[in-house]
Amino acid sequence: MKFPNDKARETFEKILADLPTIISEQCDNYDELYGYKLIKGTSEETEKYYYEKYASALVYKFAKAHNFEYDVVVKRLVDTLNWRKEFKPLRAGFVEDHDSLFSETGIITNYPNGEPNLKVLTWNMYGRLTKKKGLLKDNEKFIRYRIGLMERGLQLLDFVDEENNYMTQIHDYEDVSLFGYDHDVKKCAKTIVDMFQAYYPEMLYAKYFVNVPLVMGWIYDLVKSFVPEETRRKFVVLNSGKKLGQYIKNVPTQYGGKTQLNLEEDLVDQVKPTDYALYLLQKDMVEDLD
């Protein structure tokens, strides 16, 4: 962990020390973040799921994302934990059945021997999404699907490994109609970007927009308008998908990389949740039955 100064380190350490009280008083004891337990707690049943190095690494991401400002970091962390308790993103990722049309638009690939922080890639095939008009009228269903995809991707990261604790996103606009981005799509896109900004800080290493026709540059402008400058610097826009291989070597040859399998053959089909996530999911399902 790197700190810009001693004050930042002291703030980080204070947040860690205060975390049990913060979670008890402001989060109704909900202590799960991305499948990991943030505090040791007092329950013999659950304390075995606590790993200090992972808890510290995740809190560090929040602290870094918010410039090590104590009050801001605590608020964002509390908001995220309360959102996770209510929204149940682990269920979206590992329990719920999603529309098959949604599932065709999101792909995860994992290259353990890839370049630093270019190992876990999430692909968003928006051409497939916009072909069916009205698919996002009920955008809550797609939002739950997209959050679930994010949750599965996070399970492939190692938050204590500096070379594999960020995710890279690829947005492919091949076959997107000039008129494909209707009001529902735009509204849904903004909601998801806002949620990622709020609840998944310091997770994005880079974002590539590929196969973007020149006449559709406004798509990038639309997404760019939702996010702060620091995030925009991570964006790369490519009019040809073949150019992606110049930036990420391990992508399939159809994207100019060296992997011989095509994207559908190369995807990660099954992702195992952490032990703590699995414990919480099983507990949640038992409570539903009761």
Side-chain angles (χ1 to χ4, degrees):
M1 299 179 189
K2 299 178 181 178
F3 298 90
N5 50 56
D6 290 341
K7 183 179 179 181
R9 181 186 294 274
E10 291 170 3
T11 298
F12 169 70
E13 292 174 351
K14 177 173 172 51
I15 294 170
L16 283 180
D18 293 347
L19 204 53
T21 300
I22 292 169
I23 288 175
S24 172
E25 295 181 352
Q26 300 186 53
C27 305
D28 195 24
N29 292 311
Y30 189 86
D31 66 352
E32 174 274 328
L33 184 61
Y34 314 143
Y36 292 92
K37 196 176 191 317
L38 288 185
I39 57 175
K40 187 174 183 179
T42 57
S43 168
E44 293 183 4
E45 181 183 7
T46 61
E47 68 177 19
K48 64 183 177 181
Y49 299 116
Y50 174 74
Y51 298 98
E52 182 179 4
K53 61 182 181 178
Y54 285 101
S56 296
L58 292 176
V59 173
Y60 173 80
K61 279 185 174 287
F62 270 78
K64 182 181 178 183
H66 301 295
N67 301 311
F68 298 94
E69 296 181 18
Y70 181 90
D71 290 341
V72 178
V73 176
V74 169
K75 182 181 186 311
R76 296 296 189 181
L77 188 54
V78 167
D79 288 348
T80 298
L81 293 178
N82 285 330
W83 171 78
R84 293 184 71 83
K85 182 180 181 181
E86 179 180 352
F87 189 90
K88 300 184 183 298
L90 290 175
R91 290 190 64 150
F94 297 100
V95 176
E96 297 172 8
D97 292 325
H98 300 284
D99 192 309
S100 60
L101 290 172
F102 293 156
S103 300
E104 292 174 6
T105 70
I107 293 172
I108 301 172
T109 55
N110 183 26
Y111 305 104
N113 297 319
E115 303 153 275
N117 290 310
L118 293 173
K119 301 179 180 184
V120 178
L121 311 176
T122 56
W123 303 73
N124 301 278
M125 318 302 286
Y126 287 122
R128 302 174 184 177
L129 180 63
T130 58
K131 282 181 178 179
K132 187 173 177 59
K133 296 288 288 183
L135 187 60
L136 296 183
K137 284 293 185 185
D138 182 4
N139 60 30
E140 179 66 23
K141 291 182 178 179
F142 182 75
I143 289 170
R144 293 200 64 81
Y145 164 73
R146 186 62 187 86
I147 291 295
L149 184 72
M150 182 68 169
E151 292 288 322
R152 292 197 301 278
L154 291 178
Q155 303 300 296
L156 299 174
L157 300 181
D158 184 345
F159 294 111
V160 298
D161 180 357
E162 292 185 0
E163 294 192 351
N164 190 32
N165 64 13
Y166 285 90
M167 185 180 296
T168 290
Q169 296 179 3
I170 296 122
H171 292 206
D172 190 339
Y173 291 91
E174 186 174 13
D175 295 330
V176 172
S177 164
L178 179 62
F179 305 102
Y181 265 59
D182 59 18
H183 172 74
D184 296 323
V185 176
K186 293 176 183 178
K187 180 181 177 181
C188 189
K190 184 179 186 310
T191 299
I192 292 172
V193 170
D194 287 345
M195 293 173 82
F196 280 9
Q197 288 289 316
Y199 307 129
Y200 299 93
E202 281 293 309
M203 291 296 167
L204 180 67
Y205 182 71
K207 180 179 291 190
Y208 293 88
F209 299 79
V210 303
N211 291 317
V212 180
L214 295 177
V215 295
M216 293 185 66
W218 61 271
I219 293 178
Y220 171 68
D221 292 335
L222 172 70
V223 175
K224 187 174 67 173
S225 67
F226 301 157
V227 299
E229 175 61 28
E230 184 176 350
T231 301
R232 290 199 296 268
R233 288 198 294 267
K234 300 178 180 180
F235 290 1
V236 178
V237 181
L238 305 171
N239 64 327
S240 170
K242 282 283 188 180
K243 294 181 180 179
L244 184 61
Q246 299 173 18
Y247 298 85
I248 310 175
K249 296 177 182 177
N250 287 320
V251 295
T253 54
Q254 69 196 99
Y255 288 92
K258 64 180 184 180
T259 299
Q260 296 302 313
L261 298 176
N262 65 39
L263 193 56
E264 279 70 18
E265 294 171 325
D266 209 24
L267 61 83
V268 177
D269 189 32
Q270 297 292 329
V271 178
K272 181 182 177 181
T274 66
D275 289 342
Y276 190 47
L278 187 58
Y279 165 81
L280 292 176
L281 287 169
Q282 291 173 337
K283 181 181 178 183
D284 199 34
M285 285 187 284
V286 169
E287 290 176 353
D288 283 350
L289 290 175
D290 291 343

